[in-house]
């Protein structure tokens, strides 16, 4: 297992290096049309909805979660792991989504959970616990953090003990659970549906979004080494 993890990490690192080299090669002034596209994306960003990935081991899964998070309008992803280095994300799977999502890294699940709660977010873990709520019965229009656990062990007991509750995607077949990235996609899809109905995806602008736009433009024009989300958290 450890050998496979190291191999996956090396593969992800090599792919990321190739992506960074391509970005540096074609970097330059950002056109008005490109800036308008960035602004359009930021206007609909759900800055009070986030995902926490706890100790994911497969770079493909991490990349898929990033891709779903960015596609559904999340502005930040949290990584909880004591791995050094973390396996990272596979750029080919992420399709550069990780470059447009801010990343915050934590070593301690309880500290991560507390920090999110201090910001006013409800922390919900995707888990098969007996008291887990159907994900469709949750009010996702409220500021919320969704925790996705390790591929085999799931969300840690330390995280669940500190969190505000658990949610589950009901199964009706022999399989009792889904791939972690698929689970995240399903739940985030419901979250965005509720927010769209509530009018929360309507365009809006504020100082935080302007700061993100300025950072994006500066990065695209200057292309410093820290272009990968994992390095900016």
């Amino acid at each position: 297992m450890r050998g496979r993890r190291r191999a996956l990490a090396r593969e992800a690192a090599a792919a990321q290096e190739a992506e960074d080299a391509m970005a540096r090669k074609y970097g330059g002034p950002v056109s008005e049309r490109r800036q308008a596209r960035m602004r359009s994306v930021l206007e609909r960003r759900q800055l009070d909805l986030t995902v926490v990935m706890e100790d994911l081991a497969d770079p493909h899964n991490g990349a898929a979660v990033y891709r779903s998070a960015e596609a559904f309008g999340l502005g930040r992803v949290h990584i909880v792991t004591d791995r050094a280095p973390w396996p990272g994300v596979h750029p080919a799977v992420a399709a550069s989504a990780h470059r447009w999502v801010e990343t915050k890294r934590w070593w301690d699940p309880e500290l991560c959970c507390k920090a999110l709660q201090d910001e006013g977010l409800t922390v919900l873990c995707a888990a098969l616990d007996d008291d887990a709520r159907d994900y469709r019965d949750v009010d996702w229009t409220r500021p919320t953090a969704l925790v996705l656990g390790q591929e085999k062990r799931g969300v840690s007991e330390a995280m669940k003990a500190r969190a505000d509750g658990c949610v589950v995607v009901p199964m009706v077949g022999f399989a009792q659970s889904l791939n972690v990235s698929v689970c995240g996609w399903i739940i985030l899809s419901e979250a965005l549906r509720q927010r769209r109905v509530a009018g929360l995806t309507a365009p809006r602008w504020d100082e935080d979004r302007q700061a993100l736009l300025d950072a994006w433009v500066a990065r695209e024009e200057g292309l410093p080494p820290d272009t990968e989300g994992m390095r900016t958290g």
Side-chain angles (χ1 to χ4, degrees):
M1 179 60 71
R2 290 182 180 178
R4 180 175 181 273
R5 287 175 180 170
R6 286 195 292 268
L8 288 172
R10 287 195 297 269
E11 179 185 355
Q16 183 63 59
E17 183 178 350
E19 182 183 270
D20 288 348
M22 185 67 69
R24 288 191 294 271
K25 179 178 179 180
Y26 293 103
V30 179
S31 67
E32 292 185 4
R33 180 178 180 180
R34 181 62 168 169
Q35 290 191 45
R37 172 59 176 159
M38 292 178 179
R39 183 184 177 99
S40 176
V41 168
L42 285 170
E43 285 176 342
R44 294 167 175 80
R45 273 289 194 253
Q46 305 300 298
L47 300 181
D48 62 348
L49 179 65
T50 189
V51 164
V52 179
M53 289 189 279
E54 186 183 20
D55 203 29
L56 264 63
D58 190 329
H60 298 83
N61 285 332
V65 173
Y66 264 107
R67 190 167 181 170
S68 294
E70 200 285 324
F72 288 124
L74 278 61
R76 178 182 293 178
V77 167
H78 296 261
I79 305 295
V80 180
T81 182
D82 59 2
R83 298 177 187 274
W86 183 63
V89 299
H90 197 291
V93 179
S96 297
H98 56 302
R99 298 181 63 240
W100 305 104
V101 178
E102 180 185 359
T103 300
K104 177 72 174 179
R105 179 164 175 164
W106 304 84
W107 297 96
D108 188 301
E110 296 180 75
L111 290 178
C112 173
C113 191
K114 181 181 183 302
L116 291 169
Q117 291 167 332
D118 288 346
E119 291 179 11
L121 278 69
T122 297
V123 179
L124 298 175
C125 304
L128 299 174
D129 291 34
D130 293 337
D131 59 349
R133 300 168 58 190
D134 188 317
Y135 76 102
R136 293 164 295 190
D137 295 335
V138 173
D139 181 2
W140 295 100
T141 65
R142 300 174 58 187
T144 309
L146 171 65
V147 182
L148 301 173
Q150 205 265 353
E151 288 89 343
K152 290 189 176 182
R153 297 188 300 271
V155 178
S156 69
E157 293 301 321
M159 178 68 82
K160 288 192 287 187
R162 178 77 200 196
D164 298 292
C166 295
V167 295
V168 65
V169 178
M171 302 283 100
V172 296
F174 287 108
Q176 294 185 343
S177 64
L178 297 167
N179 171 276
V180 61
S181 64
V182 174
C183 176
W185 183 93
I186 290 174
I187 296 175
L188 291 178
S189 178
E190 171 62 14
L192 187 64
R193 184 196 69 78
Q194 291 186 17
R195 285 170 172 251
R196 183 180 291 114
V197 171
L200 298 180
T201 58
R204 48 185 159 168
W205 200 250
D206 52 37
E207 293 181 358
D208 290 339
R209 297 166 201 273
Q210 182 62 51
L212 285 170
L213 177 60
D214 293 342
W216 285 2
V217 171
R219 183 193 65 192
E220 294 299 289
E221 291 183 339
L223 291 170
D226 293 346
T227 53
E228 181 188 345
M230 267 304 300
R231 300 174 190 162
T232 61

